[in-house]
Amino acid sequence: MKAAQHPEEAAKFVANDARAHWHDQALWFVREKRDRMAVSLPEWEELRNTASQIKLHTVSRMADYLEEFERNATKLGAVVHWAKDADEHNQIVLSLLQKIGAKHIVKSKSMLTEECHLNPFLQEHGIEVVDTDLGERIVQLRDEAPSHIVLPAIHIKKEEVSETFHEHLHTEAGNNDPNYLTEAARNHLREKFVAADAGITGVNFAIAETGGLVVCTNEGNADLGVSLPKLHIACLGIEKLVPKAADLSVFLRLLARSATGQPITTYSSHFHGPRPGGELHIILVDNGRSNLMGSSQFRNSLKCIRCGACMNTCPVYRRSGGHSYGTTVPGPIGSILAPSRDSKQHKSLPFACTLCGSCTDVCPVKIDLHHELLEWRGEIRKRGQLPMSKTVPMKLTSWMMQSPWLFRFVGAVGRWFLRHLPRWAIYHGLNPWGKQREMPEAPKQSFRELYQIHESKKASDE
Amino acid sequence: MQVALFIPCYIDQLYPRVGMATLEILERRGCDVVFPSAQTCCGQPMSNTGCASDAKPLAERFLEIFAPYQYVVCPSGSCVSMVRRHYDEFLEGRPGFEELKGKTFELCEFLVDVLKVDSWNGAYPHKVGLHSSCHGLRELGMGKPSERVGPAFNKPQRLLEMLDQIELVKPQRPDECCGFGGTFAVAEEAVSCMMGGDRLRDHLSAGAEVLTAADMSCLMHLQGLAKRKEMPLQIKHIAEILNESEAKS
Ligand code: SF4
C-alpha cells in the first residue's frame, strides 16, 4: 500500500475553502461546549490528575488486572477470549457467529472493530453487519470510513445525509430536516435490531474488580443491539481496563464532557455477565498495545479513553479533516498510535502538527501528546524514514550554526539576495513559503552590527 | 544586574529592531546588558524536525556561551522553551545546565517575574490584538491556556495593560495557534496558511489595528500573509510596542 502522506491529503481538503471552514467551525463548536462543561467543575484539573494516575497505575500492572478481570468476568458467566492481533480477533468473532449460524449482526460503535477491519472481513464470509450508531450508519451507507472517533460523520453535511438516505432508505429527495432524517434512520435500524442474530459492542471501561463492562452511547443503540439477540460479543482493547468500579466516577465525568460537552453520555450501560438465557463473549485484544506498554517514550498514549477532545481542539485536524490522516484513529492521538504499528507508512503524521500543545492541555487523562509527537519525529529520523529533503538542510544548518563567522557570512549574503533579487527569483514553485506569503523584508544590518554601533556609541559617550 | 541577550538567529538577521528594542528596554531598567557574539541558533529547527543529533552541538555551544552570565534574556518564548523544556536530552547532568535553565527567561517573563515591573511609563493609543504564541503560553506557562480550568493570567497581556490609552481587542478564539510551527509552515503549507489567515481575520474582526506577540516567528508568518493580502494591520513584536511607548514619553 502506498504510504498515506498527510500534507497532500490535507491540501486537497483545504482547497475547498468553504468546506474546510465549515468543518473547522463544527468542531470548534464542540470544543467550546467542552470548555463550558469543564469550567463548570472547579475540580477539573484534579480530576484530570486522578484519571491520569489511575491509568498509569493500571498500565504498570496491566497483566495482573487483566487476569483479575478475566477471573471475575468468568465468575459472572461471561466467556473471555484473548486475541493478540486483528486477525485473531476477527477469527474469534467469526467462529462465535458461525457456531450459531448468525447471518445478521448489529454492531454499536467500536473503533477497535474498525481498527481490526472487522466489517469487510465478516461481509466476505457472508455475514451482514449493520452499524447502529447514526453517524456510523451514515458513513457505512456511503461506504466511507469514520473521520472522527466520537463524531464519525462530522465531515458530512446534512444535505449529503439526505441524499444518502434517499438513495438507500428511499426517503424524500431534498428533505434535509434532521428530525425527518433521524426518524427514517430509526425506523430502518429498528428493523435491523429485530432481525439481528447477534450484537457486537465496543467497550469504554472494563472493571477488573467486578468483571463488568461499561458501554457509553448517546442513542442507546448498544443496549438495543444486545437485548434482542441471544449472543453478545464485546470487543475490548486491553487499555480500556480500570481497576475498580469506583474509578468510573472519575472517568464517566471526564469522558462525556471532553467528548461532546455533555455532563454525561445519555446511556452508560453496565453489563455484568450475560443476560438470562443469553451468552456474553468478551474478546481482549492486544494488537500492538503491549508494545507500547514496554516503551517508556510512548507508554502514556495507552491512557487514552478515546474521548476525541484532542481532535476537536487540534487546529490541523479541524482544517484537514479526519480522512487526511489515513488511519482509524486520526488527530493527535492517532498520529502517535499509527506509527507505533507502522512507522514507515505513517511517517508523515507526527509532522502534521505545529506542536502548539492544545491537545496536551485538553486531554482528560493528561497524555503529553505534543511531546510524544516530537519524540516520534526523532524516532522516525532514527529509523531512517525521514526524507532527505528534511535531513540534509538540517545537517547543513547545524554545521553553519556551529560557526559564528559562517552564520554571519551566510546571513549577510542571504539578506543581500533577498533585497536585490528580482521577484521571480524569490517567488517560484520551489519556495512554498512564498506561495501565499511575502518573505520578510531583509534589513541592511543585522542585530549584531547594530549592537556594535550601539556599544561604541556608549563607549564614546562615557 | 548582568543580563546576556540571547537573540534568536532569525531575529539577528531579519528583525534586528526587535533585538534593539529588547536591549533598550533592559538598559533603561538599569541592567548591564551584553550580547555574547559567539551565539548563533538554539537548535530548535533541528530538534523539531527530529534531527536531535544535529541540535546537540548547538545546545552544547549554548551552554558554554551563556553559562557565565547571571541572567539570559530572549525576545522569543519559543527559543526559551527549547532551552528550558528540550535541552535535557542533550545536557542533562552537565555542570551549569540546571542553573542555565533557571536563569534563562523570555523578555516578558523577565520583566514581570524578575524585575517585578508593575507600571510602565508610556502610552500606546492603538487597538492592539495580542497573539498568545503557543510555546510561550503552554511550554513556559506565561498565561493560562483556554483549555485549562483555573484563574486567568497572561504575562504579556499584563504588560500591555500597563500602557496608557491602549485598547486590547479580544479575538473569538483566544489562543488558537497561528499555524507557523517551524518547518510545518513549509511542509504543510496549505494548512499553515489557512490557520494564519483565520488568525488574522479573527483579530481584524475584533478591531485590531496592530497585532503583537512575544514571538517574532509567529509574527513573521502572519506578516507574510497579511502583506500578501494587503490587510490593514500593522505587525509588531511586543518589545517594539513597549520600547516605543516608553522611549516617546
Ligand atoms: S488522547 Fe486524550 S484527548 Fe485524545 S482521545 Fe485520548 S483521552 Fe481524549
Side-chain angles (χ1 to χ4, degrees), chain A residues 149 303-311 333 359 362-365 367 369:
Chain A
I149 58 174
K303 297 192 293 186
C304 178
I305 56 173
R306 301 288 192 271
C307 71
C310 55
M311 291 154 213
I333 184 67
C359 50
V362 88
C363 176
V365 288
I367 300 173
L369 290 151

Side-chain angles (χ1 to χ4, degrees), chain A residues 411-433:
Chain A
V413 172
R415 276 186 282 121
W416 189 90
F417 275 122
L418 213 48
R419 284 203 313 277
H420 293 99
L421 283 186
R423 236 189 124 74
W424 60 261
I426 297 173
Y427 295 92
H428 49 68
L430 294 173
N431 173 6
W433 180 276

Side-chain angles (χ1 to χ4, degrees), chain A residues 94-365:
Chain A
L94 180 66
S95 69
L96 288 170
L97 294 176
Q98 282 174 341
K99 216 183 281 166
I100 62 162
K103 284 277 165 245
H104 303 282
I105 312 300
V106 284
K107 184 154 98 17
S108 84
K109 190 156 133 286
S110 149
M111 280 297 130
L112 177 65
T113 57
E114 281 291 331
E115 175 187 318
C116 297
H117 303 292
L118 178 69
N119 285 13
F121 174 82
L122 291 181
Q123 273 147 16
E124 271 164 35
H125 287 84
I127 295 172
E128 181 202 45
V129 191
V130 174
D131 282 320
T132 58
D133 169 274
L134 180 56
E136 285 268 301
R137 186 62 182 147
I138 294 169
V139 291
Q140 190 182 33
L141 289 174
R142 294 168 65 92
D143 206 11
E144 285 176 21
S147 69
H148 187 292
I149 58 174
V150 173
L151 312 158
I154 188 71
H155 61 290
I156 301 168
K157 297 189 173 191
K158 64 176 191 279
E159 296 76 26
E160 294 162 328
V161 174
S162 169
E163 281 164 32
T164 305
F165 280 10
H166 173 63
E167 184 186 332
H168 295 274
L169 311 182
H170 313 298
T171 53
E172 245 170 70
N175 191 337
N176 302 336
D177 175 26
N179 286 329
Y180 170 74
L181 295 173
T182 315
E183 193 55 35
R186 183 170 298 154
N187 290 334
H188 156 75
L189 285 171
R190 201 156 288 164
E191 287 166 23
K192 300 290 178 187
F193 281 125
V194 173
D197 306 313
I200 297 179
T201 67
V203 173
N204 290 88
F205 303 100
I207 308 146
E209 175 191 42
T210 62
L213 304 172
V214 180
V215 184
C216 302
T217 67
N218 273 323
E219 294 158 25
N221 51 315
D223 303 73
L224 268 177
V226 300
S227 308
L228 296 172
K230 281 215 164 78
L231 174 62
H232 174 188
I233 305 175
C235 305
L236 162 62
I238 54 175
E239 84 284 6
K240 292 293 170 72
L241 211 58
V242 296
K244 296 192 179 331
D247 299 331
L248 291 174
S249 63
V250 175
F251 290 107
L252 289 176
R253 295 179 87 193
L254 285 170
L255 176 65
R257 283 182 164 83
S258 299
T260 53
Q262 293 164 278
I264 195 157
T265 41
T266 315
Y267 298 85
S268 301
S269 315
H270 297 245
F271 299 97
H272 289 85
R275 66 185 180 88
E279 277 180 56
L280 170 62
H281 290 261
I282 303 171
I283 313 178
L284 288 163
V285 185
D286 182 333
N287 206 28
R289 286 161 177 76
S290 50
N291 289 341
L292 283 173
M293 234 179 291
S295 134
S296 60
Q297 286 166 292
F298 305 116
R299 186 180 303 136
N300 259 317
S301 59
L302 283 175
K303 297 192 293 186
C304 178
I305 56 173
R306 301 288 192 271
C307 71
C310 55
M311 291 154 213
N312 304 341
T313 206
C314 176
V316 177
Y317 174 92
R318 274 190 263 119
R319 289 171 178 83
S320 58
H323 290 151
S324 66
Y325 292 78
T327 56
T328 308
V329 180
I333 184 67
S335 301
I336 295 169
L337 297 174
S340 70
R341 287 220 181 83
D342 183 348
S343 63
K344 194 155 177 249
Q345 177 170 358
H346 301 296
K347 61 177 184 269
S348 72
L349 295 185
F351 295 88
C353 162
T354 60
L355 301 176
C356 80
S358 176
C359 50
T360 301
D361 278 326
V362 88
C363 176
V365 288

